[in-house]
């Protein structure tokens, strides 16, 4: 299949096609997030890296589709959509819920014989570390307060009741997916894992991020940044440099 004939479909957004790139980055949004969160990443890394961002059902142009509130089901669906994009070395980047989903996608890709080169797990505890969280069962007001505290939703959305009504079903569904996920024991990954965490993140401690080390037989690196759950918004340049270094190495290899 030529690059020109390749279809992105509903699940995959390719904001800045990079047909000459020798490596590909697949980005997984956080709970309540959408593919457009990674538009600046795509703009910054193209054309050296071909960036794909996953668009989950139930938001933006997919808002009329049923949400998927199960990480395992989401992973199965995403892997199917990535089938025609395995011609280049893949690096996976996920933040928060997206990190857990990226991990499950990596497991499936390895099982299918296409191992990604690196998994960036940002703002999420290791899959084997469980917390008893039930925010997805809370009232709308509690859910809104939670996402406001994390600073993961635009303040304009939080102040607009109509927009909030539109996004809350997707947020609640994603919270359910993240909070009900339970790690299935199995072989560790055979790919490099880089865990990123904010030193003031109430959703994941440095120790919980360090535990990602247990999930790979390849190299592991922990990067601790100043900030809370969305620390990455304040450290864009440093994180982009990390991605470039890893993906460039895979392209040379």
């Amino acid at each position: 299949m030529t690059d020109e004939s390749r279809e992105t479909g509903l699940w995959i957004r390719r904001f800045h096609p990079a047909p000459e790139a020798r490596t590909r980055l697949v980005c997984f949004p956080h709970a309540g997030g959408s593919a457009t969160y990674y538009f600046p990443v795509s703009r910054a890394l193209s054309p050296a890296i071909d960036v794909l961002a996953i668009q989950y059902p139930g938001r933006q142009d997919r808002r009329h589709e049923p949400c998927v509130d199960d990480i395992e089901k989401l992973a199965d669906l995403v892997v199917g959509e990535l089938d025609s994009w395995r011609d280049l070395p893949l690096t996976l980047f996920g933040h928060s819920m997206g990190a857990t989903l990226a991990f499950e996608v990596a497991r499936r890709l390895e099982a299918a014989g296409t191992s990604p080169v690196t998994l960036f797990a940002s703002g999420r505890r290791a899959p084997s570390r469980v917390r008893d969280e039930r925010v997805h069962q809370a009232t709308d007001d509690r859910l809104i307060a939670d996402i406001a505290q994390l600073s993961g939703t635009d303040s304009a959305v939080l102040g607009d009741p109509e927009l909030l009504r539109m996004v809350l079903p997707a947020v609640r569904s994603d919270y359910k997916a993240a909070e009900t996920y339970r790690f299935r024991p199995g072989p560790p990954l055979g790919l490099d894992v880089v865990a990123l965490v904010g030193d003031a993140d109430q959703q994941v401690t440095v120790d919980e991020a360090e535990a990602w080390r247990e999930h790979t037989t390849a190299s592991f690196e922990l990067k601790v940044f100043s900030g809370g759950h969305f620390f990455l918004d304040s450290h864009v340049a440093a994180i982009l440099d990390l991605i470039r270094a890893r993906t460039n190495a895979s392209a040379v290899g």
Side-chain angles (χ1 to χ4, degrees):
M1 178 181 293
T2 65
D3 192 82
E4 292 77 9
S5 65
R6 202 189 312 250
E7 295 288 340
T8 54
L10 291 171
W11 284 85
I12 296 175
R13 304 301 153 94
R14 195 184 186 204
F15 300 116
H16 305 90
E20 302 303 316
R22 298 177 58 190
T23 185
R24 181 166 287 131
L25 175 71
V26 185
C27 300
F28 298 79
H30 53 278
S34 61
T36 51
Y37 182 76
Y38 291 105
F39 183 91
V41 173
S42 174
R43 180 175 55 201
L45 296 180
S46 177
I49 300 170
D50 193 29
V51 179
L52 308 180
I54 303 301
Q55 182 78 314
Y56 309 140
R59 64 217 68 209
Q60 293 186 330
D61 58 331
R62 303 190 70 185
R63 64 184 179 276
H64 298 302
E65 298 179 48
C67 297
V68 180
D69 59 8
D70 182 283
I71 293 290
E72 300 271 4
K73 291 179 182 177
L74 268 174
D76 289 339
L77 291 166
V78 171
V79 168
E81 296 295 329
L82 288 175
D83 188 58
S84 64
W85 299 93
R86 303 185 195 181
D87 54 314
L88 294 180
L90 296 179
T91 295
L92 309 184
F93 186 104
H95 182 68
S96 195
M97 180 194 84
T100 305
L101 177 58
F103 168 75
E104 286 295 340
V105 168
R107 295 178 99 182
R108 286 158 173 76
L109 288 174
E110 281 203 335
T114 307
S115 179
V117 178
T118 302
L119 166 64
F120 283 91
S122 170
R124 186 65 175 168
R125 59 186 176 271
S128 55
R129 297 299 184 267
V130 178
R131 292 190 186 185
D132 183 14
E133 298 173 317
R134 306 181 188 185
V135 180
H136 71 279
Q137 298 175 344
T139 64
D140 286 353
D141 287 345
R142 165 69 198 285
L143 191 57
I144 291 168
D146 193 80
I147 59 178
Q149 180 183 22
L150 294 178
S151 302
T153 300
D154 192 292
S155 58
V157 174
L158 292 173
D160 187 320
E162 185 174 349
L163 283 177
L164 268 178
R165 283 195 298 272
M166 290 176 61
V167 303
L168 273 183
V171 173
R172 190 179 296 280
S173 174
D174 289 353
Y175 268 54
K176 181 180 179 181
E179 293 177 346
T180 60
Y181 169 80
R182 294 296 180 267
F183 171 67
R184 290 179 296 102
L189 297 173
L191 53 93
D192 296 344
V193 173
V194 181
L196 314 177
V197 64
D199 59 6
D201 189 351
Q202 297 181 5
Q203 299 297 306
V204 51
T205 66
V206 172
D207 286 345
E208 287 173 325
E210 170 73 30
W212 278 96
R213 181 188 302 274
E214 303 167 8
H215 294 282
T216 181
T217 57
S219 75
F220 172 79
E221 187 175 7
L222 175 68
K223 293 288 187 179
V224 182
F225 296 86
S226 61
H229 192 56
F230 281 88
F231 66 89
L232 67 177
D233 291 341
S234 301
H235 299 279
V236 174
I239 293 171
L240 288 175
D241 284 345
L242 283 173
I243 293 172
R244 288 190 185 97
R246 290 281 178 166
T247 53
N248 288 342
S250 70
V252 172

